[in-house]
Amino acid sequence: QVQLVESGGGLVQPGGSLTLSCAHSGSIFAIYAMGWYRQAPGKQRELVATIPGGGSTNYAASVKGRFTISRDNAKNTVYLQMNSLKPEDTAVYYCNVEGRASWGTFSSWGQGTQVTVSS
């Protein structure tokens, strides 16, 4: 079983910064992609940023230039650096990992971490 543990959410003023972390554990043979998604109240979950096993990163238009996704393979962790935060960035943020384990392919989600941007 693959487990994801997120951290780093909280309350921040507009224009501020936060860094989210997501550590994964389990018998993973290969990771195909890691990503961050968010869900605001009354809205559907949406993609924020993804980082594949190889190739370039991908960002939602609304966060491009403000957010940066990165991964540390040695720490089994994916990060989301969020700068110039806006009230509309307020949401529960979820990390997602897709890969292959001993039992087959998987797509696992973290428990979610609340990000609130407010003065």
Side-chain angles (χ1 to χ4, degrees):
Q1 184 177 359
V2 176
Q3 293 183 328
L4 306 181
V5 179
E6 302 173 14
S7 61
L11 173 64
V12 63
Q13 292 186 342
S17 299
L18 280 176
T19 300
L20 306 182
S21 301
C22 175
H24 62 83
S25 61
S27 300
I28 298 174
F29 289 168
I31 291 179
Y32 302 147
M34 306 175 79
W36 288 95
Y37 296 74
R38 66 187 182 187
Q39 187 167 17
K43 295 186 177 181
Q44 290 188 332
R45 190 173 298 187
E46 63 176 2
L47 180 148
V48 176
T50 58
I51 183 167
S56 60
T57 55
N58 180 50
Y59 295 93
S62 59
V63 306
K64 191 172 292 186
R66 300 188 297 122
F67 291 11
T68 302
I69 188 171
S70 62
R71 59 193 288 180
D72 185 333
N73 293 331
K75 296 182 179 180
N76 295 333
T77 301
V78 59
Y79 303 95
L80 185 69
Q81 173 68 44
M82 305 183 293
N83 298 326
S84 302
L85 283 161
K86 305 176 181 180
E88 50 264 43
D89 294 318
T90 295
V92 178
Y93 284 70
Y94 298 89
C95 69
N96 172 262
V97 175
E98 298 180 347
R100 182 167 56 88
S102 58
W103 63 89
T105 59
F106 67 89
S107 178
S108 293
W109 292 89
Q111 80 280 6
T113 185
Q114 177 71 46
V115 172
T116 302
V117 184
S118 175
S119 56

